[in-house]
Amino acid sequence: MQHQRYNKNFKFVKEPVSFNKYTDREFLQYCVGAVLYMPATRDFREDLLTEHVPGLTSMVMCFEDAIDEKDIPEAEKNVVQFLHFVDEKIEGGELDPDRVPLIFLRVRSIEQYDEILSKLDKKAVKILTGFVFPKFNSNNGEAYFSRLVATAEKYEYVLYGMPILEGREIAYKESRIDELIKVKAITDKYKDYVLNIRLGGTDFSSAFGVRRGIDYTIYDVMPVRDCILDVLNVFERENSYVVSGPVWEYFLANKSMKFDSIPEDKFQYTLLTRTPLVNSAVDGLLREVILDKANGIIGKTCIHPTHIRFVNGMQAVTLDEYNDACQILNTSGGVVKSQKANKMNEVKPHTSWAKKIYARAQAYGVIENENQYLQLFSDSSK
């Protein structure tokens, strides 16, 4: 897989590199990016072969909120058939393995997790990247990861887990810090198997009876912002884990949307001052991704295919950021003037930031400046 491939005519300063489920975890965790959720009952075989979803690099087949409980047996059968189909098409030379996205299964519960594990075989696990664990907490976390490790060792293929932090234990302040410390003890124990820590913004909002509107970001909803703040405080220290952003619920974007008519002004300034750019749904998503990035969050849960290009496109690094990161990582210590002579780069305190920027640059590419995001979003190759 390779990010931003849908726009073949875009000229990067530095192209994104390729990756797959066997890429080293230290880098792969930055590549997850925009993760498209879909019901586990959906037949995705033809869509995969035709690359129906432009820019798709990570997908989740969901057994939880996306389907009715009565449909679980059908969904489990569909998922196994899909994984076998992908393996057969690769083995038969009909499908390039570099065109297969990272595939995850979002299980419903420990019991349903056991059920789907009993139905998987070596062929299926070969294709599967891992599992998403909903409402992950200190009571179920050990069970989720111990089963994952046992399955990976049984079939001798790489598997990863992505816990979703979204339960009441984390939402409520009186239990939050103690619960986060306990959860981190579990993820630290299984760190080689943890790909991302995911934020459940919708469940956090539900705990307080709130929902962000189309004109607000998740950071404007103070009880939820408070939850996110503490999750980042515990899990982002020294780049311990890659934390992924919560879903944006609104979509008005057209798959063939062009951006040629949008003035190339101050891109982020336009969004943050709420000057209309595209439409309220796209502007809101872009605004939230800007704030995600400002807080060290990489990637996002997506429920609509049109979100993928915006989330992954926004992960691309500007040349100014990339030069600063390289300068910091290649300087032994002290303080140096940036290449553009517009800021101070203090080596020791900026090193963690530089490592994250460099990894993002490898995964999503380097662009000249922030106004090129608009060109990147536009699928001008069609």
Side-chain angles (χ1 to χ4, degrees), residues 171-275:
Y172 298 151
K173 204 173 189 72
E174 64 270 20
S175 56
R176 182 184 306 151
I177 297 302
D178 182 59
E179 177 65 11
L180 287 174
I181 296 301
K182 289 178 180 177
V183 166
K184 188 171 183 292
I186 296 171
T187 59
D188 284 352
K189 177 180 177 181
Y190 294 100
K191 190 166 185 180
D192 289 345
Y193 295 90
V194 180
L195 201 52
N196 275 184
I197 302 294
R198 310 195 69 80
L199 290 166
T202 303
D203 277 50
F204 284 152
S205 298
S206 173
F208 303 105
V210 297
R211 182 181 186 181
R212 72 186 179 286
I214 199 168
D215 294 319
Y216 300 96
T217 72
I218 200 69
Y219 302 99
D220 296 311
V221 183
M222 290 190 291
V224 180
R225 179 180 66 191
D226 196 46
C227 298
I228 293 173
L229 170 65
D230 286 337
V231 170
L232 296 180
N233 190 296
V234 171
F235 285 91
E236 272 201 346
R237 300 176 187 184
E238 306 299 328
N239 293 342
S240 298
Y241 295 92
V242 169
V243 180
S244 177
V247 66
W248 175 255
E249 299 172 342
Y250 302 95
F251 41 89
L252 293 173
N254 184 287
K255 289 183 181 179
S256 60
M257 184 175 289
K258 306 297 182 184
F259 296 86
D260 300 339
S261 61
I262 299 173
E264 291 194 358
D265 198 15
K266 293 279 188 179
F267 174 66
Q268 296 191 66
Y269 177 82
T270 299
L271 288 166
L272 294 176
T273 56
R274 298 183 182 270
T275 303

Side-chain angles (χ1 to χ4, degrees), residues 13 22 26 56 79 145 158 160 165 222 244 257 270 281 294 306 347 360 372:
V13 175
Y22 300 104
E26 286 297 313
L56 179 67
V79 163
F145 271 105
V158 173
Y160 292 107
L165 305 187
M222 290 190 291
S244 177
M257 184 175 289
T270 299
T306 56
V347 175
R360 266 183 43 212
Q372 282 203 311

Side-chain angles (χ1 to χ4, degrees), residues 11-288:
K11 303 300 182 186
F12 285 92
V13 175
K14 182 177 176 62
E15 291 273 344
V17 303
S18 297
F19 62 91
N20 57 45
K21 68 172 280 188
Y22 300 104
T23 298
D24 182 73
R25 189 198 74 90
E26 286 297 313
F27 177 57
L28 185 61
Q29 63 182 339
Y30 290 96
C31 299
V32 177
V35 181
L36 181 65
Y37 275 50
M38 64 188 68
T41 50
R42 178 176 170 183
D43 184 351
F44 197 70
R45 290 174 294 182
E46 188 63 26
D47 287 347
L48 180 68
L49 290 178
T50 60
E51 297 188 62
H52 179 69
V53 181
L56 179 67
T57 50
S58 302
M59 57 181 276
V60 168
M61 304 183 81
C62 182
F63 292 101
E64 198 196 14
D65 297 333
I67 65 172
D68 194 288
E69 188 170 2
K70 66 180 175 57
D71 296 325
I72 290 176
E74 175 196 345
E76 291 173 343
K77 181 180 178 181
N78 178 62
V79 163
V80 174
Q81 288 177 341
F82 173 68
L83 295 171
H84 283 180
F85 170 83
V86 175
D87 179 64
E88 289 164 7
K89 292 298 179 182
I90 291 174
E91 290 298 317
E94 299 175 65
L95 180 62
D96 184 346
D98 285 340
R99 297 283 175 168
V100 178
L102 303 178
I103 302 171
F104 302 89
L105 306 183
R106 180 183 181 180
V107 298
R108 195 180 189 94
S109 62
I110 291 290
E111 293 73 27
Q112 192 269 320
Y113 183 36
D114 285 336
E115 191 65 30
I116 189 62
L117 286 177
S118 72
K119 292 177 169 62
L120 297 177
D121 56 15
K122 196 173 183 71
K123 282 188 174 183
V125 174
K126 175 184 174 184
I127 301 302
L128 188 65
T129 303
F131 297 87
V132 179
F133 302 135
K135 297 176 179 61
F136 190 90
N137 59 44
S138 58
N139 294 318
N140 60 28
E142 176 71 30
Y144 275 129
F145 271 105
S146 62
R147 285 161 167 79
L148 182 139
V149 172
T151 304
E153 291 178 347
K154 176 182 178 180
Y155 294 112
E156 299 180 313
Y157 281 118
V158 173
L159 282 176
Y160 292 107
M162 297 199 296
I164 309 178
L165 305 187
E166 58 185 345
R168 297 299 198 264
E169 306 92 338
I170 295 172
Y172 298 151
K173 204 173 189 72
E174 64 270 20
S175 56
R176 182 184 306 151
I177 297 302
D178 182 59
E179 177 65 11
L180 287 174
I181 296 301
K182 289 178 180 177
V183 166
K184 188 171 183 292
I186 296 171
T187 59
D188 284 352
K189 177 180 177 181
Y190 294 100
K191 190 166 185 180
D192 289 345
Y193 295 90
V194 180
L195 201 52
N196 275 184
I197 302 294
R198 310 195 69 80
L199 290 166
T202 303
D203 277 50
F204 284 152
S205 298
S206 173
F208 303 105
V210 297
R211 182 181 186 181
R212 72 186 179 286
I214 199 168
D215 294 319
Y216 300 96
T217 72
I218 200 69
Y219 302 99
D220 296 311
V221 183
M222 290 190 291
V224 180
R225 179 180 66 191
D226 196 46
C227 298
I228 293 173
L229 170 65
D230 286 337
V231 170
L232 296 180
N233 190 296
V234 171
F235 285 91
E236 272 201 346
R237 300 176 187 184
E238 306 299 328
N239 293 342
S240 298
Y241 295 92
V242 169
V243 180
S244 177
V247 66
W248 175 255
E249 299 172 342
Y250 302 95
F251 41 89
L252 293 173
N254 184 287
K255 289 183 181 179
S256 60
M257 184 175 289
K258 306 297 182 184
F259 296 86
D260 300 339
S261 61
I262 299 173
E264 291 194 358
D265 198 15
K266 293 279 188 179
F267 174 66
Q268 296 191 66
Y269 177 82
T270 299
L271 288 166
L272 294 176
T273 56
R274 298 183 182 270
T275 303
L277 185 66
V278 183
N279 61 47
S280 53
V282 174
D283 290 3
L285 171 61
L286 292 173
R287 190 178 300 117
E288 186 162 291

